[in-house]
Amino acid sequence: MKHVYLFTLLLLTQTGFSQAKLPVIKATSKSVSINDGGVLSKNSWTLLPQVRPDVYKAERTRKTKWVTFYTDIDSIRVKVKPGSRYNFVVLLNGKDSCYTQIASAIPPESLQSKSIKNDTIPFTLTAYNAIMVKAILNGTDTLKLHYDISSFDFHLTKEAILNKTSLLPKQANPNAVPNFTKLNKAQTLKIGGLVWNNLEILPTNVTAHEMDGRIGWNVFEGKQVELDYDKNLMIIHTKLPRNLKGYTKAPVTFIHSDLTVKASVQINNQTYTGDFMLDNGSEQAMVLDSAFAARANLNSLKVIRSTTLHDATGRKYETKNIQVPLFNINQHMLNNVPASVLNYKSPTGYGVSFIGNDLFKRFNIILDLKNDNIYLKPNKLTAVKYRADS
C-alpha cells in the first residue's frame, strides 16, 4: 500500500475541482476507512461516483490535524486546519472517478454565513426542559423547533414533514411508503429576525417532546449564543458581550464534534474529574458514563430508582438513578444532583457523561462558538426542584 502525503494546506480558493491535476488514489472496493485525527473508523465511508464532490466533513476542532482515507489498496493523507478543504479523486475499479473532498467542520471565513446577525429570539422552556423557538417555513408553515446543542444542522420529524410541510416530493403512487431521502429544500426558514435560504432539511424519528424538529449547535458556528432563562430569550451575538459580570468562564472542547466541558463530582472528600457532553436535548439533569461512575465509586451510593432511556435512534438503555452529593461545573457547586448511571458502555462509543437541561437551565449561558468557551451565571431557576425529585 502506498501513501500519498499532501503537505500543502488547502487554499481557500480551491473549493472546486477546476485545478489541472488532482491527486488520485485507487480502489477496488467502495468501502473506505478513515483515520480522523488519530481516531480510526473502519469501513465508515462509501464511494459514490455519482456525487461530485462527495464531501467528508472532518470532526470539528480548531487544531491542525491529519485525516487519512484508506481504500482496500491505497491511501491518502491530508493535513486539515480550520477553514480548509482538499480535493482528490478515488479511481474505482480503474474506471469510475469518485471526486472526493475532505473539509474542515469549520467553514472558511469567506463561506461563513453573513446573514446571521445580532438577533433576540423569544423561547419557551417546556415542561420537558426543552428550549422551544417558533419557526416559519416557506412563509406559511409554523413549526416548533428545539435548540439542541447536542445535535447538528436542521432536522424535522417525519410526522411534521408529512403533516405540516410540503418538503416531501409528490409520489406517483399516493399509497406508497413516503420516501424521506429526497426532500425538497426549504426556500426559506425564519426564526426571529434570522432567515436561511435554500436550506437542506434532514428527517428524524426522534426529537424532544412536543417538538416538530431541532436546530443543532453548528447552525451558529463562529457566533456567540446567549440563553437567558430569566427573560426566556435566546440572543445571537456576532461579538462576545462586554458585560460578563457574574459569569464564570471555562473552555469547551470537541470530542467527535460533540461539545464537552470538564466537570467533577466529589464523594467522600475525593474529587473525580471527567468529560461531560453538553446535552440540553435531555430533560434530565445528568447521565453518567459507567466507567466514570466506577472510577468515582458512585456505584456505592443508594439507588433511588431504575429507569429506561431512549437515544435518538430509539434504542433502549437501562439505568439506575442516584444523587451525586456534590457536582462542580465552571466553579459552581451543586448539591444532591440526581443522575442516571449507565450500566453499559456509553452510546457515543467513547467515555463521556452528559449534562442535561434539568441542570443547565439553572444557569444563564453564553456559548462562544468563535473562541470555544462557555460562560455560566446562576439564574432564578437555581433552587427549583429537579424533575427526578418532583
Side-chain angles (χ1 to χ4, degrees):
M1 178 179 290
K2 69 176 182 177
H3 238 91
V4 179
Y5 291 92
L6 302 176
F7 292 101
T8 305
L9 296 177
L10 167 78
L11 298 176
L12 295 184
T13 56
Q14 186 181 325
T15 58
F17 285 82
S18 58
Q19 58 265 43
K21 293 183 180 180
L22 290 174
V24 178
I25 61 173
K26 298 177 181 179
T28 62
S29 168
K30 286 188 175 183
S31 296
V32 175
S33 298
I34 300 175
N35 187 314
D36 189 332
V39 178
L40 178 64
S41 300
K42 293 185 178 181
N43 299 322
S44 59
W45 182 263
T46 301
L47 296 173
L48 299 173
Q50 67 273 24
V51 180
R52 298 192 176 198
D54 200 1
V55 180
Y56 171 74
K57 187 177 290 186
E59 298 290 355
R60 204 264 198 197
T61 179
R62 291 196 180 275
K63 296 180 180 179
T64 298
K65 63 177 178 178
W66 291 101
V67 174
T68 306
F69 268 47
Y70 297 97
T71 72
D72 58 332
I73 58 173
D74 213 342
S75 64
I76 189 167
R77 190 176 186 222
V78 177
K79 186 180 277 188
V80 177
K81 70 175 184 178
S84 70
R85 298 182 177 191
Y86 204 95
N87 301 317
F88 60 97
V89 176
V90 183
L91 187 62
L92 180 61
N93 294 321
K95 58 179 182 178
D96 294 324
S97 295
C98 304
Y99 290 87
T100 308
Q101 183 180 94
I102 296 176
S104 165
I106 300 174
E109 291 288 338
S110 60
L111 296 181
Q112 290 188 17
S113 175
K114 305 301 182 184
S115 64
I116 298 180
K117 307 295 184 181
N118 291 356
D119 196 29
T120 299
I121 304 166
F123 73 77
T124 299
L125 181 65
T126 73
Y128 297 95
N129 288 323
I131 296 173
M132 186 273 287
V133 297
K134 289 185 178 181
I136 305 297
L137 179 71
N138 293 337
T140 57
D141 305 323
T142 301
L143 301 169
K144 295 187 292 185
L145 299 184
H146 174 213
Y147 176 58
D148 184 357
I149 58 178
S150 63
S151 183
F152 303 88
D153 304 320
F154 292 89
H155 287 76
L156 289 180
T157 64
K158 292 179 180 179
E159 180 182 2
I161 292 170
L162 278 172
N163 300 323
K164 295 188 176 184
T165 79
S166 56
L167 295 177
L168 193 67
K170 292 183 179 180
Q171 300 180 158
N173 181 1
N175 297 319
V177 176
N179 181 3
F180 292 94
T181 61
K182 295 183 180 180
L183 297 179
N184 297 322
K185 286 189 175 181
Q187 297 174 18
T188 60
L189 182 72
K190 186 175 186 295
I191 301 174
L194 303 178
V195 179
W196 289 265
N197 298 303
N198 196 33
L199 182 66
E200 182 178 5
I201 303 291
L202 302 173
T204 183
N205 290 317
V206 179
T207 192
H209 291 280
E210 303 173 347
M211 298 291 159
D212 297 314
R214 58 182 184 266
I215 315 165
W217 67 264
N218 61 325
V219 168
F220 300 110
E221 175 68 77
K223 312 299 180 185
Q224 288 81 24
V225 180
E226 180 178 353
L227 298 173
D228 187 335
Y229 289 91
D230 289 320
K231 299 178 182 178
N232 280 13
L233 294 176
M234 176 178 174
I235 307 170
I236 311 303
H237 301 275
T238 54
K239 293 183 179 179
L240 189 67
R242 292 184 178 181
N243 183 12
L244 297 176
K245 183 178 180 180
Y247 284 92
T248 58
K249 173 184 173 182
V252 171
T253 58
F254 289 79
I255 302 178
H256 295 277
S257 295
D258 292 322
L259 287 76
T260 64
V261 296
K262 293 289 185 183
S264 61
V265 302
Q266 186 171 317
I267 182 171
N268 298 327
N269 296 319
Q270 294 290 320
T271 299
Y272 301 90
T273 302
D275 294 311
F276 285 77
M277 179 177 162
L278 310 183
D279 186 12
N280 72 331
S282 170
E283 64 191 68
Q284 298 191 77
M286 195 185 312
V287 179
L288 298 173
D289 175 62
S290 56
F292 177 78
R295 177 164 61 88
N297 198 29
L298 295 174
N299 293 320
S300 64
L301 297 175
K302 179 181 177 181
V303 176
I304 301 172
R305 66 176 66 87
S306 296
T307 58
T308 300
L309 301 179
H310 297 79
D311 67 11
T313 66
R315 290 176 295 187
K316 296 181 180 180
Y317 300 95
E318 299 297 328
T319 67
K320 59 183 180 180
N321 292 2
I322 62 171
Q323 275 192 339
V324 174
L326 197 61
F327 182 68
N328 182 354
I329 178 171
N330 273 42
Q331 307 168 47
H332 299 286
M333 308 298 291
L334 295 95
N335 298 306
N336 298 321
V337 180
S340 297
V341 180
L342 303 178
N343 58 2
Y344 42 82
K345 188 176 181 180
S346 171
T348 61
Y350 51 91
V352 66
S353 300
F354 301 82
I355 300 173
N357 216 41
D358 198 20
L359 188 153
F360 259 134
K361 72 181 183 183
R362 298 160 198 278
F363 299 95
N364 288 344
I365 301 167
I366 299 175
L367 185 60
D368 182 357
L369 294 170
K370 185 175 181 62
N371 303 294
D372 295 349
N373 293 307
I374 189 170
Y375 298 80
L376 301 180
K377 181 173 72 172
N379 60 32
K380 66 181 181 181
L381 302 176
T382 301
V384 301
K385 284 186 176 182
Y386 290 96
R387 283 179 60 85
D389 298 333
S390 299

